[in-house]
Amino acid sequence: MSEHLNSLLERIAIALEANAEATQAMVDRADLLIQAMAEEEPEDPDAQPRTYMDGSPCL
């Protein structure tokens, strides 16, 4: 193979590895989020909210 083709294949391999690492990081974070959500106590759907969506307390 030509030097140019080898260089392109190497760059593609590096990009694919970076993509795989980024995807794994997203999977790990999603797993942590799912675990945290599972640990929360279920809320009464009819109860008044205690905080607004931005996290500030309801008065």
Side-chain angles (χ1 to χ4, degrees), residues 1-19:
M1 285 192 242
S2 71
E3 185 66 31
H4 180 68
L5 183 56
N6 284 340
S7 174
L8 288 176
L9 289 173
E10 184 177 339
R11 288 170 44 196
I12 289 171
I14 291 169
L16 287 172
E17 185 176 343
N19 186 306

